[in-house]
Amino acid sequence: MSLPVGTPATPAAIASTTPPRTAERRTGRLLRVALPLVVLVVLAAVPLFVAPFGTSTLSRILIFALFAVSLDLLVGVTGLPSLGHAAYFGVGAYAAGLVAIHWTAEGVVPVLVAAAAGAVAAGATGWLAVRSGGVYFLMLTLAIGELVHQLAQSLASVTGGSNGLYGIPTVRIGGTPLTLPGYVYWFVLAVTGLGYLGLHLVASSPFGGVLRGIRDNEPRMRSLGYSPFRYKFAAFVIAGGFAGLAGGLFAAQVRLVTPSEAGFTTSALVLLAVILGGAGSLWGPILGAAVVVLVRDALGPDLDGHGPLLLGIVFVLAVYVLPRGFAGLRDLLRRRPSPGETP
Amino acid sequence: MTGWFDENLVSILNGFAIGSLLFILAVGLSIVFGMMDVLNLAHGAFFLTGSYLAVSFVAGGSWGGYVTALGIAALVGLLAGGALSGMTEPLARRPILDQALLTLGISLIVAEVLSIAYGNDVLSVPPPPGLTGSVSVAGNAYPVYRLMLIVVGLLLALVVWLVVEKTSVGALVRASVADRDMVSALGIDNRKVKFAVLGIGSMLATVAGVLAAPVYGARPGLDKTILILALVVVVIGGLGSVRGALIGALLIGQVESLGRALVPEIASFILFGTLALVLVVRPRGLFGSRKLAHG
């Protein structure tokens, strides 16, 4: 990135003037559309080839990935590092579980109620959190998360207390219960796919652009006439809604919701997924979530349930070695050939 | 009014005990942040380390064990804080979030190591001999140990306050909070000040853990509960302010204790409500300075 002093051109501007780069860009755009489709097809084919245990692990990864991407909207896009995002995941999970038990387990109903509950909870607490910035925001969200966690434990008559909410019925589509893990997986894949698409649209919309502006230079956005409070609040509510959606899927897939779903460790792990993947890129946190779930669920039993120990070590290493996550690694790889190419 | 006071005297005294513990915890957290922008999320884990050390050494319930636990906890805290200070050094030029994440990772590691070493059960610790019984306070039986905790806590609070507000070392700390670059320009090595403050702040956390062990025991998850309370105290009091930490700790001690005694179902809401109320009226906390707003 060492351009000679005095040249105002950015690498992107140079690229647009040279024909070979334009072709490169076109393939890049094609790749950007084709790659998600290929990934989607591969993911959809998984239950046909993989054992049920692998399928359910992959379901958990997808759910945690949606949760992580919803947090990335706050951390990476808006610049609000939240340590209490599990609160809305937990609220969504409990809401979906309660709807499924007491009302209907019909497909999308519990999941949509979960998203609405997550958004409402985020709205009720977010107005206070987004008034502050930086480290105050970190501490306030931590306090909010712990509040929801304690609430889940003390409201035993509704939530089942520390035993958790169990006996959640299987998801039904058109009245038929989805008994095979493969069908549940397809349901999870469909909803997380739509959820991810929704978050992608939010982040790439003009609204998302304003959020990035606030992240990079809040006083400037304010002097341009934007109200940072309103935008941050809206981002917080949207992120809470998608976290609730992920929580609803969690309830449908695991069929047991415990207070720890809303707790500090869950919040810390989802933040780890975002940091590990690279805050700001929406695809990075998906990889981060995969690593976190694999370490916790696949390696955890071998470590006698002390998966978080390994994740803590990963966390510390990530802070030192991967300050911009997996997404940062890609940028490094991309930049490496550039010294030879500079015009 | 006096009737209400009599009925809730035990809760009020408990509030003072919690408040003095919280002050010891929060003052380290607050000064370290105010001075060096290091938010130490491992503070709760250090506290729990102290509690588990108490479990190991006070097993027989002797004064020797108790004092040994205090001494070892102080040493462990000092070393842990010093190590943490060294670990945050390479991150000094990076965003605040990175240092917070580092301490978050450390807190996960410490909590898991403790749970491997001591298991997941709630462990209780007997108070040292002579402090096991209860005395009558205005007609209410109250454990002697908790009274001692209040006294020791308030004494420690007084010592910390005197050191920070009245000595030249304290003046250096306060000056570093107010303007780090100016202190550095005067020829004082910031890193040494940070090393000392983080070390002593962490030592206070582990010592508080030992002091609290006969009351709260030691269990997984206690670190988070304590960390949240200390953070609430720091936010209410204002980052970097000793007076704020003291007032905040006493306030939150009472809110927590009376709230749990009078309206146990919504105690968490009252805690959060207090926090919300203070922040709506004073967004930087009761004694927070404007400079720290975007620090």
Side-chain angles (χ1 to χ4, degrees):
Chain A
M1 296 307 289
S2 57
L3 285 170
V5 183
T7 47
T10 61
I14 295 165
S16 64
T17 53
T18 45
R21 282 294 182 90
T22 340
E24 206 173 86
R25 276 183 131 201
R26 200 170 296 146
T27 54
R29 202 176 304 151
L30 194 69
L31 200 69
R32 208 170 297 158
V33 179
L35 194 65
L37 284 177
V38 171
V39 169
L40 197 66
V41 169
V42 169
L43 283 176
V46 160
L48 305 176
F49 304 105
V50 178
F53 178 75
T55 313
S56 72
T57 303
L58 201 57
S59 301
R60 280 201 297 275
I61 290 178
L62 286 173
I63 293 166
F64 205 69
L66 179 63
F67 181 29
V69 176
S70 79
L71 177 62
D72 193 27
L73 184 68
L74 282 183
V75 179
V77 177
T78 322
L80 292 173
S82 170
L83 254 181
H85 206 51
Y88 313 114
F89 182 79
V91 166
Y94 275 112
L98 289 170
V99 165
I101 289 174
H102 298 295
W103 181 27
T104 171
E106 180 56 54
V108 289
V109 177
V111 173
L112 286 180
V113 171
V120 168
T125 47
W127 65 271
L128 181 69
V130 298
R131 282 168 63 95
S132 60
V135 80
Y136 274 95
F137 183 81
L138 201 72
M139 293 197 273
L140 278 175
T141 48
L142 211 157
I144 292 167
E146 192 57 21
L147 175 82
V148 173
H149 174 69
Q150 286 182 7
L151 204 64
Q153 239 161 9
S154 58
L155 285 178
S157 55
V158 185
T159 62
S162 50
N163 289 332
L165 186 68
Y166 50 86
I168 299 170
T170 39
V171 188
R172 290 164 177 272
I173 297 288
T176 324
L178 301 181
T179 41
L180 290 173
Y183 289 142
V184 178
Y185 170 80
W186 276 325
F187 173 70
V188 168
L189 181 63
V191 179
T192 48
L194 288 174
Y196 180 74
L197 188 68
L199 278 166
H200 184 78
L201 290 177
V202 169
S204 53
S205 67
F207 172 77
V210 176
L211 294 183
R212 283 192 187 83
I214 290 171
R215 175 194 66 190
D216 293 337
N217 195 338
E218 187 171 331
R220 182 162 179 185
M221 292 310 279
R222 192 180 290 122
S223 61
L224 284 174
Y226 293 100
S227 159
F229 174 80
R230 270 187 223 159
Y231 278 89
K232 284 200 263 186
F233 182 63
F236 198 86
V237 171
I238 293 170
F242 280 100
L245 181 67
L249 285 173
F250 178 87
Q253 200 248 332
V254 180
R255 294 168 58 201
L256 166 71
V257 184
T258 61
S260 73
E261 258 68 75
F264 176 74
T265 310
T266 310
S267 288
L269 291 186
V270 73
L271 189 60
L272 169 63
V274 172
I275 302 299
L276 202 58
S281 82
L282 291 185
W283 58 270
I286 298 180
L287 295 183
V291 171
V292 168
V293 172
L294 283 177
V295 170
R296 189 187 59 185
D297 294 355
L299 292 178
D302 295 332
L303 294 167
D304 213 13
H306 293 294
L309 175 63
L310 202 57
L311 287 172
I313 295 169
V314 172
F315 216 141
V316 170
L317 289 179
V319 170
Y320 283 113
V321 185
L322 283 177
R324 293 183 51 224
F326 296 141
L329 275 182
R330 188 195 64 165
D331 290 354
L332 278 180
L333 291 176
R334 215 176 244 185
R335 235 173 261 159
R336 196 157 294 157
S338 66
E341 287 176 33
T342 32
Chain B
M1 185 66 202
T2 47
W4 181 89
F5 189 76
D6 267 354
E7 275 169 33
N8 294 293
L9 182 65
V10 171
S11 297
I12 293 171
L13 284 175
N14 277 341
F16 274 113
I18 300 174
S20 55
L21 269 179
L22 282 180
F23 173 73
I24 301 171
L25 274 165
V27 73
L29 208 56
S30 181
I31 291 184
V32 168
F33 185 81
M35 200 162 87
M36 294 297 164
D37 296 343
V38 177
L39 177 65
N40 184 7
L41 293 173
H43 216 61
F46 290 165
F47 174 90
L48 190 59
T49 308
S51 297
Y52 276 117
L53 281 173
V55 170
S56 290
F57 287 99
V58 197
S62 67
W63 272 104
Y66 189 76
V67 173
T68 317
L70 275 177
I72 294 201
L75 193 66
V76 167
L78 208 58
L79 290 177
L84 197 59
S85 167
M87 287 176 82
T88 54
E89 207 50 57
L91 305 177
R93 300 257 165 261
R94 300 247 297 267
I96 295 176
L97 180 62
D98 284 0
Q99 303 188 8
L101 290 174
L102 174 71
T103 59
L104 180 62
I106 292 173
S107 77
L108 283 179
I109 295 175
V110 172
E112 282 303 315
V113 168
L114 288 175
S115 118
I116 290 171
Y118 290 94
N120 287 327
D121 299 329
V122 179
L123 302 173
S124 62
V125 178
L131 297 177
T132 44
S134 299
V135 285
S136 163
V137 179
N140 295 290
Y142 196 75
V144 187
Y145 185 81
R146 291 193 190 199
L147 279 181
M148 193 215 70
L149 191 61
I150 297 175
V151 173
V152 170
L154 291 179
L155 273 179
L156 262 176
L158 187 70
V159 169
V160 171
W161 186 77
L162 281 176
V163 167
V164 173
E165 298 288 336
K166 304 287 172 198
T167 64
S168 57
V169 177
L172 183 64
V173 170
R174 277 179 294 130
S176 298
V177 172
D179 194 338
R180 198 185 327 164
D181 296 330
M182 183 53 94
V183 170
S184 179
L186 291 172
I188 287 153
D189 193 343
N190 269 323
R191 285 169 301 177
K192 282 184 192 152
V193 182
K194 175 171 134 184
F195 185 84
V197 170
L198 246 178
I200 292 173
S202 307
M203 186 182 83
L204 286 174
T206 47
V207 167
V210 177
L211 290 175
V215 180
Y216 299 103
R219 61 180 167 81
L222 184 64
D223 52 339
K224 286 146 207 163
T225 314
I226 286 291
L227 176 67
I228 307 280
L229 285 175
L231 285 179
V232 170
V233 166
V234 169
V235 171
I236 284 183
L239 288 167
S241 161
V242 176
R243 198 163 26 139
L246 182 61
I247 307 257
L250 291 176
L251 181 69
I252 291 303
Q254 293 303 335
V255 167
E256 174 76 4
S257 172
L258 282 174
R260 295 235 174 267
L262 298 175
V263 276
E265 297 86 12
I266 56 163
S268 308
F269 278 108
I270 295 180
L271 188 68
F272 186 68
T274 314
L275 180 67
L277 190 70
V278 169
L279 285 183
V280 167
V281 183
R282 299 288 300 259
R284 305 287 160 232
L286 293 174
F287 297 95
S289 69
R290 194 144 275 283
K291 176 224 131 190
L292 290 167
H294 301 287

